Amino acid sequence: MERRELSPRGRRAPRPGQLSDSPAGLSATPAPGLAVEVKVPTEPLSAPVGKTAELMCSYSTSVGDNFALEWSFVQPGRPVSSSQPILYFTNGQLYPTGSKAERASLLQNPPTGGVATLKLTDVHPSDTGTYLCHVNNPPDFYTNGLGLINLTVLVPPNSPSCSQSGQTSVGGSAALRCSSSEGAPRPVYNWIRLGSSPTPPPGSMVQDEVSGRLILTNLSLVSSGTYRCMATNQMGSASCELTLSVTDPSKGRVAGAVIGVLLGVLFLSVAVFCLIRFQKERRKKPKETYRGSDLREDATAPGIYEQTSVRADSNNGLLERPPSANTVTTAKSKLPMVV
């Protein structure tokens, strides 16, 4: 039994010399050589950032008046139906379009010799994706005339950022992280320890080259030091460094006790100094002075002092007249009144 191909529209393609089943009953026999065959590389292509990429595309057909070529671009992860045009060639004219118009051209213009290679200059990281080479030559409907090319723009890794987390004390665990925001293909990460200090035991160091994470377990004082992370791909490498300081909680408690003792001694010394200074200031204070209006406990009453002085004078051989009542009254009148 003879098998016949189905056309893209779901109908059986008529054999040469056979009438089609169209309502008009017209012959659809294609002329020899109109079948389009597009050839593109089967392997993905790559180009360094800033360089020129050539996307090879060739075709075989008999070029007629309806020949047309279109290049379009699809971002990674997007369907082919969302392609964005880059350039057209139709009616003998080339029409670049889209965001890549200024950097896109054809290796051969016009592309009527079977070569439809696209030339893209100064490639950017955003140029990574799938490119479609579409040759259209009606009335050919036997093939879709489409070729797909995957392009990767190679970018060296930028300087990664290093960070750490976890409990950085003796017996604890710490995680060191390293990551680059740029790099194609995706860089791999490798941690090394700098200096001549002893390297921690292998069982206590586990690193992931894909995520850039280094896990340190059962930390000791020997684990302290400077660690360097290298981000590398086929375009180059970059690095960052991080210093890990492991502390001993027991030494911290001893240091705290020593500091507490020193503060106590300092406080006591200040208190003694203040007390001594207060005693010295008290000794230098002047004696208390009495005003005329103040009464003193050791003061002698006016009348008694005069009698004592008379006795003393009589003992010395001097006889004076005893004080009269008027004199005593006068003396009493001069006594200050205390309220």
Side-chain angles (χ1 to χ4, degrees):
M1 183 177 178
E2 184 182 0
R3 298 180 61 185
R4 288 177 293 175
E5 295 182 35
L6 290 176
S7 66
R9 297 181 180 179
R11 298 177 296 173
R12 291 186 181 275
R15 291 175 297 179
Q18 180 182 3
L19 293 177
S20 67
D21 55 355
S22 61
L26 298 177
S27 174
T29 304
L34 287 181
V36 176
E37 183 181 1
V38 176
K39 294 182 179 180
V40 294
T42 58
E43 297 294 330
L45 302 180
S46 61
V49 63
K51 302 297 182 180
T52 300
E54 292 186 359
L55 283 66
M56 306 297 296
C57 178
S58 61
Y59 64 92
S60 60
T61 187
S62 295
V63 178
D65 294 338
N66 296 325
F67 172 82
L69 169 68
E70 177 186 355
W71 274 98
S72 56
F73 169 73
V74 180
Q75 295 178 348
R78 302 290 297 276
V80 175
S81 59
S82 65
S83 61
Q84 303 169 356
I86 299 176
L87 57 78
Y88 297 95
F89 179 85
T90 184
N91 298 326
Q93 297 292 328
L94 182 64
Y95 302 98
T97 183
S99 60
K100 299 176 174 53
E102 297 182 357
R103 300 184 291 117
S105 62
L106 292 175
L107 190 63
Q108 292 185 5
N109 187 21
T112 55
V115 178
T117 300
L118 176 68
K119 186 178 180 181
L120 191 62
T121 61
D122 188 23
V123 292
H124 303 161
S126 59
D127 293 331
T128 296
T130 302
Y131 291 79
L132 285 67
C133 176
H134 189 195
V135 178
N136 190 16
N137 191 19
D140 172 45
F141 297 110
Y142 282 88
T143 62
N144 57 11
L146 181 65
L148 279 65
I149 303 175
N150 291 320
L151 174 67
T152 300
V153 178
L154 305 178
V155 181
N158 64 338
S159 297
S161 60
C162 291
S163 61
Q164 72 176 48
S165 61
Q167 184 179 2
T168 56
S169 59
V170 173
S173 299
L176 310 185
R177 291 179 174 84
C178 175
S179 177
S180 292
S181 59
E182 298 178 2
R186 188 174 181 178
V188 295
Y189 303 95
N190 183 36
W191 284 92
I192 58 174
R193 185 178 178 184
L194 304 180
S196 58
S197 301
T199 303
S204 63
M205 297 179 61
V206 179
Q207 68 172 317
D208 188 344
E209 294 184 348
V210 177
S211 64
R213 186 170 61 174
L214 174 67
I215 304 297
L216 299 174
T217 59
N218 194 20
L219 293 175
S220 64
L221 297 179
V222 179
S223 304
S224 299
T226 302
Y227 293 78
R228 174 182 293 171
C229 173
M230 296 288 295
T232 307
N233 66 6
Q234 64 190 75
M235 292 298 295
S237 62
S239 65
C240 63
E241 295 181 1
L242 183 147
T243 300
L244 178 67
S245 299
V246 180
T247 59
D248 189 348
S250 61
K251 292 185 178 180
R253 289 191 293 267
V254 172
V258 172
I259 293 175
V261 172
L262 293 178
L263 290 177
V265 172
L266 179 61
F267 177 78
L268 183 61
S269 300
V270 171
V272 172
F273 173 77
C274 294
L275 181 60
I276 295 175
R277 185 170 182 179
F278 174 75
Q279 294 292 341
K280 289 182 178 180
E281 292 294 333
R282 188 175 181 181
R283 293 173 182 175
K284 292 180 180 180
K285 187 176 180 181
K287 295 182 178 180
E288 185 179 1
T289 56
Y290 298 93
R291 292 172 299 175
S293 61
D294 296 337
L295 290 178
R296 294 177 57 182
E297 295 181 356
D298 57 348
T300 305
I304 298 174
Y305 176 77
E306 291 180 357
Q307 294 177 1
T308 306
S309 60
V310 171
R311 295 191 188 99
D313 291 340
S314 60
N315 294 332
N316 292 332
L318 298 176
L319 181 60
E320 293 184 358
R321 184 177 55 89
S324 61
N326 293 335
T327 303
V328 174
T329 303
T330 302
K332 288 183 180 181
S333 62
K334 291 181 180 182
L335 286 176
M337 181 178 295
V338 179
V339 180

